[in-house]
Amino acid sequence: MLCLFKTLDPDLPLAKKILIIGSGGRENALAWGLEKANGVEKIFVAPGNGGTEEIPGCECLDIKETNVNAIIEICLSIQIDLVIIGAEAPLAAGLADKLRKAGLIVFGPGQEGAQLESSKSWAKSFMNEAGIPTAKHWESNNLENALGIIDSINKPLVIKADGLASGKGVTVPKNINESKTAVKEAFQGKFGSSGEKVILEEMLNGPEVSIFALSDGKQLVVLPPAQDHKRLNDGDQGPNTGGMGAYAPAPLIDSAQLKEIQKSILDPTLETLRNRGIDYRGVIYAGLMLTSSGPKVIEFNCRFGDPECQALIPLLG
Ligand code: AMP
Ligand code: GLY
C-alpha cells in the first residue's frame, strides 16, 4: 500500500513506524502487508485482536479506537509516522480530523468525507449530484409516510437504516409485508438513532462486487475487484451480514470493465468530493451490483472491506 501511495506521490516520506487503528481481520491484513514494505520498522495496532501479535514486527497497544487523546499521546511519544484508520466508526466520528489537527499523517477520510458511508441519505444525494448509477430511492423519517411509500410503489422495497449499523441495517425483503415489517422495526428503534431515518430502495438484481480505490484527494489507484459472501449461511441463505468470507481478484469483471467503472463511478466520486471541498484521503469502496443495465452502486464505504481486505492485501505485493 505504501508503494501504491508512492505511485501517487513519489515525494512521500518513508513511514518507519505505523499505527493501525482497529480490531478486525482487516487491520491484521494491513499490518501483515505493511510490515513487508520498504523502510517499515514497526507496526502497532490499537487495540488489535488475539491474532495480531502473531504477525512479525507487530505489537498491540491497549488503546480503544474511541480514545482520541490516548491515540494522539502515544503517536507523539513513540513518533508514529503514519496512522491508518481501519474501521468506519472512528472515521465517522471524526478521528482522522482530530489526528490531523494534532499534526499527524493519517490514512482515512475526515468526518465530512466519511458520510459516504455514515449516512446513506447523504450518499444517495451525492450520487445523484455526481450522476453515479444507483438504485432509485425514497427517504422517510416517520412510519406512516414510509408505509405510504411502500403502498404507492406496490413492490417490495429494500429498507435501509440511514446511519451506521455494522452491516445489519439493510433488509432485502421477499415481499411487501417484509418491507413493512422492516420499516416498523427501524422506527421502533432496532438500529437506535441510525434508524431514525430510513431509505427505501428499488430492488436491484445481479452479482455483487467490491471495488476499492485509494485516494490522496487528487488521484486514484484502483485495486483488483473482490467479492465477499454476504449471507450468514451456506448456499447464500440466511440474513445479510458484514461479510462471511471473501476472495480476490473476482473474475466478475475484466480490466476493460474495471476501467469503465473507474470512468463512470470512481472518477466522478472523487471529482464531486473535490467540488464539495472535501480533501478525501483514504479508501473509496464502491459496493456494486452488476445489473442487466450496467453496474450500479449499492453502497459506498469509506474504508477497506472486511473480509475483502484479507484477500486483497496478499495480491498487492
Ligand atoms: P448495503 O449496506 O447498502 O451495502 O446493503 C447490504 C447488502 O444488501 C448489499 O450488499 C446487497 O446484498 C443488499 N442490497 C442493498 N441494496 C440493495 C438493492 N437496492 N437491491 C438488492 N439488494 C440490495
Ligand atoms: N464486507 C463488507 C464490508 O466491509 O462492508
Side-chain angles (χ1 to χ4, degrees), residues 120-171:
K120 290 192 188 289
S121 161
W122 193 91
K124 280 294 198 182
S125 84
F126 179 95
M127 284 188 257
N128 290 338
E129 178 186 326
I132 292 170
T134 185
K136 195 166 174 212
H137 84 289
W138 299 261
E139 293 183 11
S140 179
N141 50 20
N142 79 72
L143 178 60
E144 204 180 320
N145 172 259
L147 293 175
I149 294 170
I150 298 171
D151 280 332
S152 70
I153 305 299
N154 202 24
K155 282 187 194 151
L157 296 176
V158 176
I159 307 299
K160 303 185 176 187
D162 178 48
L164 295 179
S166 310
K168 296 174 187 76
V170 176
T171 302

Coordinates of all heavy atoms in Angstrom, one line a residue, residues 120-171:
K120 N -26.6 7.1 4.6 CA -27.0 6.6 3.2 C -27.7 7.7 2.5 O -27.7 7.8 1.3 CB -27.8 5.3 3.4 CG -27.0 4.1 3.9 CD -27.7 2.8 3.7 CE -26.9 1.7 4.4 NZ -25.7 1.2 3.6
S121 N -28.4 8.5 3.2 CA -29.1 9.6 2.6 C -28.1 10.6 2.0 O -28.3 11.0 0.8 CB -30.0 10.3 3.7 OG -30.4 11.6 3.4
W122 N -27.1 10.9 2.7 CA -26.0 11.8 2.2 C -25.4 11.2 0.9 O -25.3 11.9 -0.1 CB -25.0 12.0 3.2 CG -24.0 13.1 3.0 CD1 -24.1 14.4 3.4 CD2 -22.7 13.0 2.3 NE1 -23.0 15.1 3.0 CE2 -22.1 14.3 2.3 CE3 -22.0 12.0 1.6 CZ2 -20.9 14.5 1.7 CZ3 -20.8 12.2 1.1 CH2 -20.2 13.5 1.1
A123 N -25.1 9.9 1.0 CA -24.5 9.2 -0.1 C -25.4 9.2 -1.4 O -25.0 9.4 -2.5 CB -24.1 7.8 0.3
K124 N -26.7 9.0 -1.1 CA -27.7 9.0 -2.3 C -27.7 10.4 -2.9 O -27.7 10.4 -4.2 CB -29.1 8.6 -1.8 CG -29.2 7.1 -1.5 CD -29.2 6.4 -2.9 CE -29.7 5.0 -2.9 NZ -29.6 4.4 -4.2
S125 N -27.8 11.4 -2.2 CA -27.9 12.7 -2.8 C -26.5 13.0 -3.5 O -26.5 13.6 -4.6 CB -28.4 13.8 -1.9 OG -27.3 14.3 -1.1
F126 N -25.4 12.6 -2.9 CA -24.1 12.7 -3.5 C -24.1 12.0 -4.9 O -23.6 12.6 -5.9 CB -23.1 12.1 -2.6 CG -21.7 12.2 -3.1 CD1 -20.8 13.2 -2.7 CD2 -21.2 11.2 -3.9 CE1 -19.5 13.2 -3.2 CE2 -19.9 11.2 -4.4 CZ -19.0 12.2 -4.0
M127 N -24.6 10.8 -4.9 CA -24.6 10.0 -6.2 C -25.4 10.7 -7.2 O -25.1 10.7 -8.4 CB -25.0 8.6 -5.9 CG -24.0 7.7 -5.2 SD -24.5 6.0 -5.2 CE -25.0 5.8 -3.5
N128 N -26.6 11.2 -6.8 CA -27.5 11.8 -7.8 C -26.8 13.1 -8.3 O -26.8 13.3 -9.5 CB -28.8 12.1 -7.1 CG -29.6 10.8 -6.9 OD1 -29.3 9.8 -7.5 ND2 -30.6 10.9 -6.0
E129 N -26.1 13.8 -7.5 CA -25.4 15.0 -7.9 C -24.3 14.6 -8.9 O -24.1 15.3 -9.9 CB -24.8 15.7 -6.7 CG -24.0 17.0 -7.1 CD -23.3 17.6 -5.8 OE1 -23.9 17.5 -4.7 OE2 -22.2 18.1 -6.0
A130 N -23.6 13.5 -8.6 CA -22.4 13.1 -9.4 C -22.8 12.3 -10.7 O -22.0 12.0 -11.5 CB -21.5 12.3 -8.6
G131 N -24.1 12.0 -10.8 CA -24.6 11.2 -11.9 C -24.1 9.8 -11.9 O -23.8 9.2 -12.9
I132 N -23.9 9.3 -10.7 CA -23.4 7.9 -10.5 C -24.6 6.9 -10.5 O -25.6 7.2 -9.8 CB -22.6 7.8 -9.2 CG1 -21.3 8.6 -9.3 CG2 -22.3 6.4 -8.8 CD1 -20.6 8.8 -8.0
P133 N -24.6 5.9 -11.3 CA -25.7 5.0 -11.4 C -26.0 4.2 -10.1 O -25.0 3.7 -9.5 CB -25.3 4.0 -12.5 CG -23.9 4.2 -12.7 CD -23.5 5.5 -12.2
T134 N -27.2 4.3 -9.6 CA -27.6 3.7 -8.3 C -29.1 3.4 -8.3 O -29.8 3.9 -9.2 CB -27.2 4.6 -7.1 OG1 -27.4 4.0 -5.9 CG2 -27.9 6.0 -7.1
A135 N -29.5 2.6 -7.3 CA -31.0 2.3 -7.3 C -31.8 3.6 -7.0 O -31.4 4.4 -6.2 CB -31.2 1.3 -6.2
K136 N -33.0 3.7 -7.6 CA -33.9 4.7 -7.2 C -34.3 4.6 -5.8 O -34.4 3.5 -5.2 CB -35.2 4.5 -8.1 CG -36.0 5.7 -8.2 CD -37.1 5.6 -9.3 CE -38.0 6.7 -9.1 NZ -39.3 6.6 -9.5
H137 N -34.5 5.8 -5.1 CA -34.8 5.7 -3.7 C -35.8 6.7 -3.2 O -36.0 7.7 -3.9 CB -33.5 5.8 -2.9 CG -33.0 7.2 -2.6 ND1 -32.6 8.0 -3.6 CD2 -33.1 7.9 -1.5 CE1 -32.3 9.2 -3.1 NE2 -32.6 9.2 -1.8
W138 N -36.3 6.4 -2.0 CA -37.2 7.4 -1.3 C -36.6 7.4 0.1 O -36.0 6.5 0.6 CB -38.6 6.8 -1.3 CG -39.2 6.7 -2.6 CD1 -40.0 7.5 -3.3 CD2 -39.0 5.6 -3.6 NE1 -40.4 7.0 -4.5 CE2 -39.8 5.8 -4.7 CE3 -38.3 4.4 -3.5 CZ2 -39.8 5.0 -5.8 CZ3 -38.3 3.5 -4.6 CH2 -39.1 3.8 -5.8
E139 N -37.0 8.5 0.8 CA -36.5 8.7 2.2 C -37.7 9.0 3.1 O -38.6 9.6 2.6 CB -35.5 9.8 2.3 CG -34.2 9.6 1.6 CD -33.2 10.7 1.8 OE1 -33.4 11.6 2.6 OE2 -32.2 10.6 1.0
S140 N -37.6 8.5 4.3 CA -38.7 8.9 5.2 C -38.2 8.9 6.7 O -37.3 8.1 7.1 CB -39.8 7.8 5.1 OG -40.8 8.2 6.0
N141 N -38.8 9.8 7.5 CA -38.5 9.8 8.9 C -39.7 9.6 9.8 O -39.7 9.9 10.9 CB -37.6 11.0 9.3 CG -38.3 12.3 8.9 OD1 -39.5 12.3 8.6 ND2 -37.5 13.4 8.8
N142 N -40.8 9.1 9.1 CA -41.9 8.6 10.0 C -42.6 7.4 9.4 O -42.6 7.2 8.2 CB -42.8 9.7 10.4 CG -43.8 10.1 9.3 OD1 -44.7 9.3 9.0 ND2 -43.6 11.2 8.7
L143 N -43.1 6.6 10.3 CA -43.6 5.3 9.9 C -44.8 5.4 8.9 O -44.8 4.7 7.8 CB -44.1 4.5 11.1 CG -44.7 3.1 10.9 CD1 -43.8 2.2 10.2 CD2 -45.2 2.5 12.2
E144 N -45.7 6.3 9.2 CA -46.9 6.4 8.3 C -46.5 6.7 6.9 O -47.0 6.1 5.9 CB -47.8 7.5 8.9 CG -49.2 7.4 8.5 CD -50.0 8.5 9.1 OE1 -49.7 8.9 10.3 OE2 -50.9 9.1 8.4
N145 N -45.6 7.7 6.8 CA -45.1 8.1 5.5 C -44.4 7.0 4.7 O -44.6 6.7 3.5 CB -44.2 9.3 5.7 CG -43.5 9.8 4.4 OD1 -42.3 9.4 4.2 ND2 -44.2 10.5 3.5
A146 N -43.6 6.2 5.5 CA -42.8 5.1 4.9 C -43.7 4.0 4.4 O -43.6 3.5 3.3 CB -41.8 4.6 5.9
L147 N -44.7 3.7 5.2 CA -45.7 2.7 4.8 C -46.5 3.2 3.5 O -46.8 2.4 2.6 CB -46.7 2.4 5.9 CG -46.1 1.7 7.1 CD1 -47.1 1.5 8.2 CD2 -45.4 0.3 6.8
G148 N -46.8 4.5 3.5 CA -47.5 5.0 2.3 C -46.6 4.9 1.1 O -47.1 4.6 0.0
I149 N -45.3 5.1 1.2 CA -44.4 5.0 0.0 C -44.5 3.5 -0.5 O -44.6 3.3 -1.7 CB -43.0 5.4 0.4 CG1 -42.9 6.9 0.7 CG2 -42.0 5.0 -0.8 CD1 -41.6 7.4 1.3
I150 N -44.4 2.6 0.4 CA -44.4 1.2 0.0 C -45.7 0.9 -0.7 O -45.7 0.2 -1.7 CB -44.2 0.2 1.3 CG1 -42.8 0.5 1.9 CG2 -44.3 -1.3 0.8 CD1 -42.6 -0.2 3.2
D151 N -46.8 1.3 -0.1 CA -48.1 1.1 -0.7 C -48.2 1.7 -2.1 O -48.7 1.1 -3.0 CB -49.3 1.6 0.2 CG -49.6 0.7 1.3 OD1 -49.4 -0.5 1.1 OD2 -50.0 1.2 2.4
S152 N -47.7 2.9 -2.2 CA -47.9 3.6 -3.5 C -47.0 2.9 -4.6 O -47.3 2.8 -5.8 CB -47.6 5.1 -3.5 OG -46.3 5.3 -3.2
I153 N -45.8 2.4 -4.2 CA -44.9 1.8 -5.2 C -45.4 0.3 -5.5 O -45.3 -0.2 -6.6 CB -43.4 1.7 -4.7 CG1 -42.9 3.1 -4.4 CG2 -42.5 1.0 -5.7 CD1 -42.9 4.1 -5.5
N154 N -46.0 -0.3 -4.4 CA -46.7 -1.6 -4.5 C -45.7 -2.7 -5.0 O -46.1 -3.5 -5.8 CB -47.9 -1.5 -5.4 CG -48.9 -2.6 -5.2 OD1 -48.9 -3.2 -4.1 ND2 -49.7 -2.9 -6.2
K155 N -44.5 -2.6 -4.5 CA -43.5 -3.6 -4.8 C -42.6 -3.7 -3.5 O -42.5 -2.8 -2.8 CB -42.5 -3.2 -5.9 CG -43.1 -3.3 -7.3 CD -42.0 -3.0 -8.3 CE -42.5 -2.7 -9.7 NZ -41.7 -1.8 -10.5
P156 N -42.0 -4.9 -3.3 CA -41.1 -5.0 -2.1 C -39.9 -4.0 -2.3 O -39.2 -4.1 -3.4 CB -40.6 -6.5 -2.2 CG -41.3 -7.2 -3.2 CD -42.0 -6.2 -4.1
L157 N -39.7 -3.1 -1.4 CA -38.6 -2.2 -1.4 C -37.5 -2.6 -0.4 O -37.9 -3.1 0.7 CB -39.1 -0.8 -1.2 CG -40.0 -0.2 -2.2 CD1 -40.5 1.2 -1.7 CD2 -39.4 -0.1 -3.6
V158 N -36.3 -2.4 -0.8 CA -35.2 -2.7 0.2 C -35.2 -1.6 1.2 O -35.3 -0.4 0.9 CB -33.8 -2.7 -0.6 CG1 -32.7 -2.9 0.4 CG2 -33.8 -3.8 -1.6
I159 N -35.1 -1.9 2.5 CA -35.2 -0.9 3.6 C -33.8 -0.8 4.2 O -33.2 -1.8 4.6 CB -36.3 -1.4 4.6 CG1 -37.6 -1.7 4.0 CG2 -36.4 -0.3 5.7 CD1 -38.2 -0.5 3.2
K160 N -33.4 0.4 4.4 CA -32.0 0.7 5.0 C -32.1 1.7 6.1 O -32.7 2.8 5.8 CB -31.1 1.2 3.9 CG -30.9 0.2 2.7 CD -29.9 0.7 1.7 CE -29.7 -0.3 0.6 NZ -28.6 -0.1 -0.3
A161 N -31.5 1.4 7.2 CA -31.3 2.5 8.2 C -30.3 3.5 7.6 O -29.4 3.1 7.0 CB -30.7 1.9 9.5
D162 N -30.6 4.8 7.9 CA -29.7 5.8 7.3 C -28.3 5.7 7.8 O -27.3 5.9 7.1 CB -30.3 7.2 7.6 CG -29.5 8.3 7.0 OD1 -29.1 8.2 5.8 OD2 -29.2 9.3 7.8
G163 N -28.2 5.5 9.1 CA -26.8 5.6 9.7 C -26.1 4.2 9.8 O -26.6 3.2 9.3
L164 N -25.0 4.2 10.5 CA -24.1 3.0 10.6 C -24.9 1.9 11.4 O -25.5 2.3 12.4 CB -22.8 3.3 11.3 CG -21.9 4.3 10.5 CD1 -20.6 4.5 11.3 CD2 -21.5 3.7 9.1
A165 N -24.8 0.7 10.9 CA -25.5 -0.4 11.7 C -24.7 -1.7 11.5 O -25.3 -2.8 11.5 CB -26.9 -0.6 11.2
S166 N -23.4 -1.6 11.4 CA -22.4 -2.7 11.3 C -22.9 -3.8 10.3 O -22.8 -5.0 10.5 CB -22.4 -3.5 12.7 OG -22.1 -2.6 13.7
G167 N -23.3 -3.3 9.2 CA -23.7 -4.2 8.1 C -25.1 -4.9 8.3 O -25.4 -5.7 7.5
K168 N -25.8 -4.5 9.4 CA -27.0 -5.2 9.7 C -28.3 -4.4 9.5 O -29.4 -4.8 9.8 CB -27.0 -5.8 11.1 CG -25.9 -6.8 11.2 CD -25.7 -7.3 12.7 CE -24.5 -8.2 12.8 NZ -23.2 -7.4 12.8
G169 N -28.1 -3.2 9.0 CA -29.2 -2.2 8.9 C -30.0 -2.3 7.6 O -30.8 -1.4 7.3
V170 N -29.8 -3.4 6.8 CA -30.4 -3.5 5.5 C -31.3 -4.7 5.4 O -30.9 -5.8 5.8 CB -29.4 -3.6 4.3 CG1 -30.1 -3.8 3.0 CG2 -28.5 -2.3 4.3
T171 N -32.6 -4.5 5.0 CA -33.4 -5.7 4.8 C -33.7 -5.8 3.3 O -34.2 -4.8 2.7 CB -34.8 -5.5 5.6 OG1 -34.5 -5.3 6.9 CG2 -35.7 -6.7 5.4

